[in-house]
Amino acid sequence: MKGNFIFVSFLLFLFGGYVLSGNSIWWLCGVCLWVGRMLFKKNIPILILSFLVCALFFTRHFMISQEESILQNEETQFLTQVKRTSITIDGSRLNFQGRVIVDGQGEEVVVRHTFASEREKERFIVGQHDTFIIEGTVSDPSQATNFFQFDYRNYLNKKHIFKTVEAKKLIPVEGESLNKTIGYQIDTIRDRVLSFIDKRLSAQTALYIKALLFADKRDFEEPVNASFKELGIVHLLSISGLHIHFLIESLKKALNKARLTKETSRWILLMLLPVYGCITGFGTSVFRAIGQSWLKVFGEMTHIKWTTLDRWSLVFCFSLLINPFNLLQVGFQLSYFMSLIIILLVNQPFYKSYNKIKAYIVLSFVLFLGSLPILSYHFFEFSWGVIFLNSLYIPFLSLLFLPMLVFLFFFSLFFYHTRWFLFFMKLTEAVIHLMEETTFFISEHTSFSVIIGRLPTIALVSAVVFFILLLLIIEQKNAKLRLYALPIIGIVISVFSVRYSPFGQVHMIDVGQGESILIKEPWGRGNYLIDTGGLANWNSEEPWEVRKSAFNVGEDIVVPVLKSQGVHRIETVIITHSDWDHYGGLDDLSKHLPIKAVLATESTLTDPAFLASLQHLQLTDTDMLSVEKHPLEALPEQLRALDSFQPTQDNKNNESLILIGLIGEYTWLFTGDLEKEGEQNLLKMYPNMTVDVLKVGHHGSQTSTTDSFLDHLSPTYAWISAGKNNSYGHPHSDVMTRLEKREIEIYQTNVQGAIQYRYTDSWLLDKLLHQVSFIQTKNIEKE
């Protein structure tokens, strides 16, 4: 079977995709084609092994899918054991993973708690307790209410966690109140190692040693992480095959210098590799790298001739049999797919004939292209700078930085009180400072990020097919340059198919109790945003309460949604009026996407609170335009502003900027927070106005959407943006009754999540697809 395990792993990959995708026809076609390929090869043992592994995968997936929580959604009290390496404290907010015991059964939960005082926070940190009696409310994890948004419930369920607990009280329990599982015992050892590092080393050196040697990134400052992410090299801050390879080679050299026999050295490696994996938490890349290295040593001892590809395949299969949902994780996909490309490429005769420079260029380019479908699916963007930045950072890490960190860690074990230790720690700090400042400089003065959106299945399949074609052409000796054109052009078209999609859309983003609507024109002609949402914070916080990563509507909701739709720049942000829930996300939005212009009424543009919130936007070259002076400027061709706003001192809502226009097949009216008086004024100025889609004013407040307004406009559809279980009671029952009485079809974000209308202005597509215009919602699960 030597060299044939790749057939098993690839069939498992296709079959796993079929099962996890809900029986997708694309994955089924892949399974059938690969089984046909294996039948043609006539290797019966491999075929039987493949079917057996797939059967085990299906059984394991079925067993995990049947798991349910033993906890009820209620306020309760129970004993909880803390997984200490999961603890994060940000300002007044505490989060950790714990294990509760109910009726003799254990279950993993995520616990959240808000410290009532600084003293309580300090007591928790100093106490170092492992077990607590928790009084709090059990609930289901939050789920995504926007298209392609991170789904926290789905994420936790894949880790066998089904409930979250909002703890009101944490009562520490002295002594061992629960018998620890093996996993929690290992976690305790890991926590002690991490605590030792914190005590022996400075904060800065401890941070990088914990991240690069022990896979703990909890203390990483967001600016550092953001800069590495912007450059596309954030993976270098996590343990990878590069780190494991360096550590194993270092250990081998140390054992050789100790003049141990090869047999003894192999036994030591067999024992130490799993131990090190446990201390690091056995993350995806660590498991893969250690697993492949362990199998290599084991093969040498037992004289089993596994190829590198065989070892990769065995670890791949084993990982999916442990947890089938690993296949859906971005870290798993990148780690295994990139390592597979490297294994396949470097062993090719044509690649071995390249000189070092050409080999590096080809490998970097192939890895970059191969990662595009994965990056676009999960992050909606990629960084092309990684092609040459890796050549700068990888040698720095492997030749200088990692050796320094390893040396410093072992130095702290034996020479902690010496001057040499202090000198070397200061030297390491200087290297860290140089690396961070270089990274900040590059990220601030260059932009490598390219936003492409979430690729549909057909674009992903096309990109993969063209990528395989490109590899086949590269394999051919003396291939003509024009042969490369087809796969490269095919990959480019597939990758940018969302950004320059022939379909336009009106997209009401679920921003909670606020409002934000995207208008994206077909073929990427323009992107316009009506309001940005915003979460008001009415509480004054003390310094110890301030969170470094507090939730922000602009950064955490609007930006990811826009990127998922391939929005790489915004022509105009239209602010309807100066209420925070309509403009609060604007400044943070400007940090991530270029904005050509902001259009608003004169009263909004001169509002002191509005101007004070735009600290970053004022540093950009964004034009601030008043609709009174520029009524037709910066708007899409199909929209126009209605001259109906009347500045008042007591009601900002009736100053709302109103937009009307024909988008797709429907006439739309966007009313901001317009109330009764504003609606009456609008009807007086435009007595003949009728619409198909009404964006209901003021989130469905009782003071808006009157009977006369609805009778006059006669809309077919009503869109409402309101927060789930909001304290205002929006949308009001009276408004809902008025809409239902007139048989107006209602779409509301607090019930259905995000709302999206898609259309095209292409006659050919319209004819081919028959019916292009349609409205869809996120359809969030009912609780």
Side-chain angles (χ1 to χ4, degrees), residues 70 123 129 294 366 370 448-449 485 521 703:
I70 60 176
R123 281 204 309 266
H129 290 97
W294 193 91
V366 170
F448 298 110
S449 181
E521 295 184 311
T703 60

Side-chain angles (χ1 to χ4, degrees), residues 340-357:
L340 177 62
I341 290 176
I342 294 173
I343 293 171
L344 292 175
L345 193 59
V346 300
N347 289 315
Q348 298 300 317
F350 72 89
Y351 183 83
K352 293 178 180 179
S353 66
Y354 293 163
N355 59 51
K356 290 184 178 181
I357 296 178

Side-chain angles (χ1 to χ4, degrees), residues 5 90 96 103 153 445 484 497 591 631 653 691 760:
F5 285 107
D90 187 5
F96 62 83
D103 298 329
R153 180 183 299 181
H445 292 83
Y484 291 91
S497 61
K591 298 174 184 177
N653 293 334
V691 300
T760 183

Side-chain angles (χ1 to χ4, degrees), residues 17-28:
Y18 172 70
V19 172
L20 296 174
S21 66
N23 306 329
S24 166
I25 188 66
W26 292 99
W27 288 104
L28 181 60

Side-chain angles (χ1 to χ4, degrees), residues 152-211:
Y152 189 55
R153 180 183 299 181
N154 193 31
Y155 168 76
L156 289 182
N157 287 171
K158 291 170 186 173
K159 298 174 67 176
H160 314 292
I161 300 174
F162 305 102
K163 298 293 182 181
T164 60
V165 180
E166 191 66 37
K168 296 179 179 178
K169 289 184 179 180
L170 295 176
I171 305 171
V173 176
E174 302 294 338
E176 298 292 331
S177 300
L178 291 175
N179 292 325
K180 290 185 177 181
T181 62
I182 294 177
Y184 273 71
Q185 291 176 19
I186 293 173
D187 184 75
T188 300
I189 297 172
R190 184 170 182 241
D191 182 61
R192 289 173 180 171
V193 172
L194 298 176
S195 297
F196 170 83
I197 294 171
D198 285 328
K199 292 175 183 177
R200 286 289 177 97
L201 298 161
S202 65
Q204 196 173 32
T205 54
L207 186 149
Y208 280 91
I209 286 178
K210 289 191 297 182

Side-chain angles (χ1 to χ4, degrees), residues 393-430:
Y393 280 86
I394 290 179
F396 166 77
L397 281 171
S398 59
L399 300 178
L400 177 64
F401 195 47
L402 273 176
M404 289 185 74
L405 293 181
V406 172
F407 186 77
L408 182 63
F409 174 70
F410 284 103
F411 222 72
S412 69
L413 297 175
F414 307 108
F415 306 101
Y416 175 60
H417 294 291
T418 65
R419 292 182 179 180
W420 285 106
F421 170 75
L422 294 175
F423 168 78
F424 195 72
M425 186 165 65
K426 292 293 183 183
L427 181 62
T428 306
E429 288 177 350

Side-chain angles (χ1 to χ4, degrees), residues 205-383:
T205 54
L207 186 149
Y208 280 91
I209 286 178
K210 289 191 297 182
L212 296 181
L213 300 185
F214 297 98
D216 180 34
K217 292 177 60 179
R218 289 174 295 165
D219 296 332
F220 249 104
E221 296 291 336
E222 184 55 32
V224 177
N225 211 41
S227 295
F228 274 84
K229 184 178 180 180
E230 172 68 22
L231 299 179
I233 53 174
V234 70
H235 59 280
L236 298 178
L237 296 180
S238 304
I239 294 183
S240 64
L242 171 69
H243 303 74
I244 300 299
H245 175 75
F246 168 78
L247 292 172
I248 291 174
E249 290 303 314
S250 299
L251 180 58
K252 284 182 177 179
K253 290 178 181 178
L255 294 175
N256 288 335
K257 288 185 178 181
R259 297 184 179 181
L260 297 177
T261 63
K262 287 186 177 180
E263 190 72 14
T264 303
S265 298
R266 288 167 180 165
W267 274 110
I268 293 174
L269 284 171
L270 282 179
M271 292 184 291
L272 287 184
L273 286 175
V275 171
Y276 178 67
C278 290
I279 294 176
T280 61
F282 259 131
T284 298
S285 293
V286 175
F287 183 85
R288 179 190 60 77
I290 286 182
Q292 288 181 246
S293 299
W294 193 91
L295 287 175
K296 181 179 180 181
V297 176
F298 181 77
E300 291 172 350
M301 292 183 63
T302 56
H303 305 291
I304 298 177
K305 296 181 179 180
W306 282 321
T307 65
T308 305
L309 198 57
D310 285 334
R311 296 194 295 270
W312 180 93
S313 301
L314 289 170
V315 176
F316 176 87
C317 294
F318 192 54
S319 178
L320 290 185
L321 293 179
I322 294 174
N323 184 2
F325 291 106
N326 280 337
L327 188 60
L328 302 178
Q329 303 300 320
V330 60
F332 180 92
Q333 294 168 9
L334 285 173
S335 179
Y336 280 88
F337 187 50
M338 295 299 101
S339 59
L340 177 62
I341 290 176
I342 294 173
I343 293 171
L344 292 175
L345 193 59
V346 300
N347 289 315
Q348 298 300 317
F350 72 89
Y351 183 83
K352 293 178 180 179
S353 66
Y354 293 163
N355 59 51
K356 290 184 178 181
I357 296 178
K358 185 177 181 180
Y360 173 78
I361 293 174
V362 170
L363 179 61
S364 297
F365 185 67
V366 170
L367 287 174
F368 167 70
L369 290 180
S371 67
L372 289 185
I374 299 174
L375 294 176
S376 73
Y377 186 85
H378 293 281
F379 304 117
F380 324 127
E381 60 185 326
F382 63 87
S383 172

